[in-house]
Amino acid sequence: AEIGALLAQAPELFTKGAQFYEAFRKAIATLPTYPQLLARLDAEQNRKTRKQHLGALRQYLEEAIATLQSHGVDEETLTHAIRFSNPHGAFEPQPGETTIPIDQGAAAIRDLQPSQIEEWIEALAAEDGRNTVLRGQLKNLSRLYERIRAEEILGQVRKDYPEFEALGSLSLSILLEHFHDALALERDVTLSAVERAQKRYELNRREREICGLDKAGKNERVEQILFEKAVFQKAFEERRKGMEERYEKRKEALLREFDEKQEKVHNIQQLLRAYTLFERDVDYVVMPGERGEAQVIIVDEFTGRLMPGRRYSDGLNQEIEAKEGVKIAKASQTVATITLQNYFRMYRKLAGMTGTADTEAAEFHKIYGLDVNVIPTNEPMIRVDHPDVIYRTAEEKFEAVVREIIEFYLIGRPVLVGTTSVEASERLSKMLDFRPLRGCNPQGMKVVHEVAHEMTRDAEIREEIFRIVFHNIEVEIGKAHRKGGAAFGKIAEVLAAYLYPTKGEAREREEAASLLRARLEEGIHTAPDLLALSHGGMTLLDRFRKRFLDNIREKVEIVEAEKKIPHEVLNAKHHEKEAQIVKKAGQKDAITIATNMAGRGTDIVLADEVKYILGGLHILGTERHESRRIDNQLRGRAGRQGDPGSSRFYLSLEDDLMRIFVSDRVGNIMERLGMERGVPIEHKLVSRAIENAQKKVEGRNFEIRKRLLDYDDVNNKQREAIYGKRNQIIRTRNVKRFLFEMVEEVIENLIDDFAAG
């Protein structure tokens, strides 16, 4: 009956025992210890906080002395305190510590006075407070105090848990210790098989000691101990089941927590990308949408055009919207993807025509198996491509670009300025604004006067300009001689219109056109000879020179009145004006600042005066693109169909391409030459080095695309199989028969795999 009663209450007894030790452990943990207080004091540097720690030490020592004196300290108690630190384990003196002599310790503690505590505190606070003897004595004293307090707490907890003694002579603490060791062995997945076997052997050996078994056999306590072991095992099984349930719940909670934290980490990574890798007015713009609300619109890297409706994936678009402070839209979900290469491979025949495919001939052949054939131009290409000009800084580069724009504007020749980003186009636009406003260029008016003075007053520069203009006219005269007929009349009309531009000079204009045509038909090839005709009291050559210089002075007056160089900006923010801006880009005096969107498929029609006299459209690039194809597209806006034109790229060592590939080498050259601010390098070798850098980037980008295609080829095979089955299901009339055929095919494959032979 007694055994049955104990078995019935075993789980409850076990639970109560665990609660007892948990309560005892928590109560002990709330007590401050001398080593803890001393460690806080040693680690603290702040004077005010250090004073607080000294106060805590004083209070601790006062309570310790009062407790020891109230309990009546004797040699036996003191010896016990020195031998054992507290309920957590045996005490072994550490290096630098000391022990209280047994015969003096008890009397010393009984005779302690409050003034002695003040001396200890002062010694601990002093610079020489690291007295190891004093600290060792105080540590021993604290161990005695903490031992007495632990026994008091143990007595109190025993009163709260009277069931603790119900298991008789077998100490529940030994059972609990054995239980926790066995549970830890089960849960420890890091152990090898050998280590697990060793620990299990040690547990069995300890179990035999607990049960009182020895080599000779059983002693008189065997039956009682085995019974208590059975009680413990039953409680252990119930406890384990409860712990497994709690473990599963905890596992689910941890997985949920992990998913939440993983999502937060992903969002933080995307936010960092939005702030560091994606720039406003370069990779995207913020513009009003259809409903008038501001929204983020992606800008195509190669064309510079807006891509409404396109969004970045993986939450990146939402992070950019948060960065710009616009309304955050819902995240988009990618349903299916395919690379452009595999998309084009779906066509049975592939062909195309472009003016910039020659630089990518190798990629066309490797990816699509297509050859690139170069077709000769309809008219000889007479565009002049000047060598690149390199400056130290981007600021110097843009200053030089502005000066060249001013020069061509005063002459009247149209300029198309190509930039790589919306930001660069707007920066250049502000530099052509000479008003004293923030971000503008108040010093620009000074540059205008300097350039105009050089053109009109410096004889050498003036004659060089006329030489270039006459050369342009002579190129058109040469074309006219090859074509003959109406071509003579066109040149004569354009020159006469330039010499006599007003309506009141119509009669003189017609007379001059007739004289010029007659001279051309006589076989004149040079511009000075053609214009060496007397008309209206002066030669046409003098009139041409006077008209040319008057135009420069008129332009200066216009700039002074408007406080800027008249220009148009064509980028993703002004795409609705694209057709109107492009239509005017080839007219006289037109200055157009554009991103890559003006460099692809844009046909700029030249005015007659620009084509026959001023030398056509001038292309001015402000940065080299990673791909030569993009630069060639920009250059190709000039010199179309045999028209005259020219191009030049202005670079700086701060440009992305230069900074990565060319900056160090060219920078060393500029430093050795001792070049001052604003002085550029202009040489074909430099242009060739830049072109080689572009080839390296193109090769790297091609390898990236090729590797992506290799990965996508695997997906493409699966894509073809899945979509092929889908199309069969959609098109078949008997879906059931189709499904049974698939089942039959699977079964046959399984039989072949597992029943072969």
Side-chain angles (χ1 to χ4, degrees):
E2 184 179 356
I3 292 174
L6 283 173
L7 283 173
Q9 62 178 333
E12 182 180 357
L13 290 175
F14 182 85
T15 303
K16 288 291 184 180
Q19 291 174 353
F20 166 82
Y21 270 95
E22 182 67 15
F24 178 64
R25 186 187 63 78
K26 288 184 178 180
I28 289 294
T30 59
L31 291 177
T33 64
Y34 173 76
Q36 289 176 348
L37 297 174
L38 196 61
R40 293 173 190 170
L41 176 67
D42 291 340
E44 186 57 52
Q45 299 295 328
N46 184 280
R47 185 175 298 176
K48 183 177 180 181
T49 311
R50 187 176 175 84
K51 188 175 182 181
Q52 294 175 355
H53 290 330
L54 288 170
L57 269 171
R58 180 185 292 106
Q59 182 180 357
Y60 173 87
L61 293 173
E62 289 174 353
E63 292 178 359
I65 297 303
T67 301
L68 293 173
Q69 290 176 345
S70 66
H71 279 72
V73 182
D74 53 19
E75 284 79 359
E76 182 180 357
T77 304
L78 188 60
T79 304
H80 187 69
I82 293 172
R83 184 176 298 117
F84 300 101
S85 59
N86 50 45
H88 300 298
F91 163 64
E92 296 180 2
Q94 300 297 317
E97 295 181 352
T98 185
T99 57
I100 303 175
I102 301 300
D103 56 346
Q104 300 176 9
I109 293 174
R110 282 195 296 270
D111 298 337
L112 280 174
Q113 300 297 324
S115 60
Q116 183 64 41
I117 298 176
E118 292 298 328
E119 292 178 6
W120 292 343
I121 295 301
E122 290 176 2
L124 291 173
E127 293 297 332
D128 58 347
R130 298 184 179 275
N131 188 317
T132 55
V133 174
L134 172 63
R135 291 192 174 210
Q137 291 176 346
L138 293 180
K139 192 170 185 178
N140 290 334
L141 186 148
S142 68
R143 285 195 175 96
L144 177 58
Y145 164 64
E146 290 167 10
R147 178 75 180 188
I148 294 173
R149 291 288 291 123
E151 290 177 355
E152 291 177 353
I153 292 173
L154 182 61
Q156 182 62 42
V157 175
R158 283 180 183 274
K159 293 179 182 178
D160 297 336
Y161 294 90
E163 302 90 342
F164 175 74
E165 303 296 339
L167 286 179
S169 62
L170 182 62
S171 173
L172 185 59
S173 63
I174 299 176
L175 284 176
L176 282 174
E177 181 182 0
H178 185 68
F179 163 73
H180 284 300
D181 290 343
L183 185 63
L185 180 61
E186 285 190 4
R187 291 282 177 85
D188 194 349
V189 296
T190 62
L191 296 176
S192 64
V194 175
E195 292 172 335
R196 188 178 298 277
Q198 290 175 345
K199 287 186 176 290
R200 190 175 287 115
Y201 172 80
E202 180 65 24
L203 282 175
N204 292 337
R205 186 187 62 77
R206 194 187 310 165
E207 184 177 329
R208 293 176 63 85
E209 291 178 356
I210 293 173
C211 295
L213 295 174
D214 51 23
K215 295 180 180 179
K218 301 180 181 179
N219 59 15
E220 67 272 9
R221 297 180 55 212
V222 168
E223 294 181 0
Q224 178 185 1
I225 298 303
L226 287 178
F227 161 70
E228 292 174 347
K229 177 184 176 183
V231 173
F232 168 74
Q233 287 178 340
K234 183 176 180 180
F236 174 80
E237 291 297 330
E238 294 184 1
R239 180 78 171 180
R240 185 175 64 178
K241 290 179 181 178
M243 292 186 68
E244 288 177 352
E245 293 177 359
R246 289 195 297 273
Y247 170 75
E248 291 298 327
K249 292 180 181 179
R250 179 59 178 164
K251 180 180 176 182
E252 294 176 1
L254 287 174
L255 288 175
R256 286 195 301 270
E257 183 181 359
F258 174 77
D259 291 339
E260 293 174 359
K261 290 182 177 179
Q262 188 179 37
E263 184 178 357
K264 289 180 180 179
V265 170
H266 174 73
N267 292 337
I268 292 172
Q269 288 176 340
Q270 295 295 70
L271 191 61
L272 289 173
R273 290 183 64 198
Y275 271 93
T276 56
L277 301 181
F278 291 81
E279 298 183 34
R280 180 171 179 170
D281 295 336
V282 177
D283 302 291
Y284 63 90
V285 295
V286 179
M287 296 180 62
E290 296 178 357
R291 299 180 180 178
E293 297 178 347
Q295 63 178 6
V296 172
I297 302 177
I298 299 174
V299 178
D300 188 275
E301 177 186 0
F302 299 103
T303 64
R305 299 182 185 275
L306 296 179
M307 296 191 291
R310 295 280 298 275
R311 295 174 62 80
Y312 295 114
S313 59
D314 294 333
L316 179 59
N317 214 88
Q318 284 71 23
E319 303 300 347
I320 293 176
E321 289 168 341
K323 166 188 171 183
E324 298 297 340
V326 302
K327 184 179 179 181
I328 300 177
K330 293 182 179 179
S332 58
Q333 184 178 5
T334 303
V335 180
T337 60
I338 186 173
T339 59
L340 288 173
Q341 291 90 337
N342 276 326
Y343 175 74
F344 288 132
R345 283 174 171 178
M346 295 173 69
Y347 288 93
R348 294 181 181 178
K349 291 185 178 180
L350 277 179
M353 181 178 291
T354 174
T356 57
D358 193 33
T359 58
E360 314 298 332
E363 184 168 354
F364 277 111
H365 182 74
K366 289 183 179 179
I367 302 297
Y368 305 106
L370 297 177
D371 293 327
V372 175
N373 296 317
V374 179
I375 301 173
T377 57
N378 182 40
E379 294 285 345
M381 216 276 290
I382 61 173
R383 184 185 68 234
V384 179
D385 295 327
H386 297 286
D388 297 345
V389 180
I390 302 178
Y391 289 85
R392 277 183 178 274
T393 64
E395 183 181 359
E396 296 176 52
K397 175 186 72 174
F398 280 111
E399 288 175 358
V401 169
V402 169
R403 185 179 184 89
E404 183 156 325
I405 291 173
I406 292 172
E407 291 175 358
F408 281 103
Y409 172 73
L410 294 180
I411 293 173
R413 187 176 174 186
V415 179
L416 175 63
V417 184
T419 62
T420 56
S421 65
V422 176
E423 181 186 25
S425 63
E426 294 190 342
R427 175 182 180 179
L428 197 54
S429 175
K430 288 183 178 180
M431 292 185 72
L432 294 177
D433 191 338
F434 305 147
R435 292 174 296 172
L437 299 176
R438 184 179 180 182
C440 295
N441 183 18
Q443 302 298 323
M445 200 65 231
K446 181 181 178 182
V447 179
V448 172
H449 286 293
E450 289 178 359
V451 173
H453 183 272
E454 292 174 356
M455 288 182 173
T456 56
R457 301 295 178 86
D458 192 312
E460 185 177 348
I461 295 177
R462 186 173 64 242
E463 290 305 317
E464 178 63 20
I465 293 172
F466 282 124
R467 187 192 65 78
I468 294 172
V469 173
F470 291 154
H471 173 74
N472 298 333
I473 298 173
E474 289 165 1
V475 170
E476 297 302 322
I477 291 174
K479 290 182 184 178
H481 279 293
R482 288 192 296 270
K483 295 178 180 179
F488 292 138
K490 186 63 177 179
I491 295 177
E493 289 175 5
V494 173
L495 286 172
Y498 184 81
L499 295 169
Y500 299 99
T502 63
K503 292 182 179 180
E505 297 174 320
R507 184 176 61 82
E508 289 85 350
R509 185 163 56 246
E510 292 177 1
E511 292 176 356
S514 299
L515 291 172
L516 290 169
R517 177 164 185 167
R519 292 281 288 173
L520 288 170
E521 290 174 349
E522 291 175 2
I524 298 298
H525 285 80
T526 62
D529 292 341
L530 178 63
L531 297 172
L533 294 171
S534 180
H535 186 266
M538 62 188 305
T539 63
L540 294 180
L541 181 60
D542 292 338
R543 181 176 292 277
F544 184 91
R545 289 174 176 271
K546 181 177 181 302
R547 176 66 181 153
F548 192 89
L549 297 176
D550 288 344
N551 281 337
I552 293 176
R553 297 185 183 96
E554 291 173 5
K555 299 290 177 52
V556 174
E557 293 176 359
I558 292 172
V559 174
E560 287 178 340
E562 297 186 5
K563 299 296 182 185
K564 67 177 182 179
I565 299 293
H567 64 278
E568 295 286 349
V569 178
L570 177 58
N571 56 33
K573 291 185 176 181
H574 307 94
H575 63 96
E576 69 280 353
K577 301 179 183 178
E578 180 178 358
Q580 182 181 358
I581 294 174
V582 170
K583 185 178 180 180
K584 297 179 179 179
Q587 302 301 307
K588 182 184 177 183
D589 305 334
I591 305 295
T592 307
I593 302 172
T595 54
N596 291 334
M597 65 187 298
R600 174 181 289 187
T602 305
D603 196 3
I604 298 175
V605 180
L606 302 180
D608 291 338
E609 185 178 329
V610 172
K611 179 178 179 180
Y612 290 96
I613 300 175
L614 298 177
L617 180 67
H618 180 64
I619 303 298
L620 206 162
T622 58
E623 188 173 341
R624 284 278 199 166
H625 199 274
E626 288 185 352
S627 173
R628 291 171 296 163
R629 182 170 51 86
I630 305 299
D631 294 339
N632 291 339
Q633 286 173 346
L634 179 62
R635 276 200 177 106
R637 299 314 97 200
R640 301 171 72 84
Q641 292 296 322
D643 288 343
S646 60
S647 69
R648 186 191 297 276
F649 277 84
Y650 280 80
L651 313 175
S652 77
L653 299 182
E654 295 177 356
D655 296 344
D656 291 339
L657 185 69
M658 298 289 292
R659 181 169 45 81
I660 297 172
F661 291 99
V662 192
S663 178
D664 293 339
R665 187 168 35 178
V666 178
N668 292 335
I669 294 174
M670 299 180 80
E671 187 174 349
R672 283 199 300 269
L673 295 176
M675 304 185 73
E676 299 179 356
R677 187 183 188 280
V679 179
I681 284 183
E682 180 180 0
H683 199 278
K684 289 184 178 180
L685 290 176
V686 177
S687 300
R688 195 175 302 125
I690 295 168
E691 188 172 346
N692 291 334
Q694 289 178 305
K695 289 180 181 178
K696 291 180 183 178
V697 178
E698 289 171 0
R700 184 198 63 183
N701 292 340
F702 168 65
E703 289 300 324
I704 293 173
R705 291 191 294 270
K706 184 72 167 59
R707 184 62 57 87
L708 175 63
L709 183 61
D710 292 341
Y711 284 118
D712 192 62
D713 283 341
V714 179
N715 295 331
N716 199 47
K717 292 179 181 179
Q718 299 178 353
R719 193 183 296 122
E720 291 173 354
I722 297 299
Y723 288 167
K725 294 293 184 183
R726 181 199 65 179
N727 294 338
Q728 286 181 347
I729 293 173
I730 292 174
R731 293 167 184 168
T732 187
R733 293 183 178 180
N734 191 346
V735 179
K736 183 176 181 180
R737 179 182 175 185
F738 177 79
L739 291 176
F740 275 111
E741 288 176 356
M742 291 181 62
V743 171
E744 184 178 350
E745 182 181 354
V746 171
I747 292 174
E748 289 177 354
N749 291 335
L750 290 174
I751 292 174
D752 292 339
D753 291 340
F754 295 101

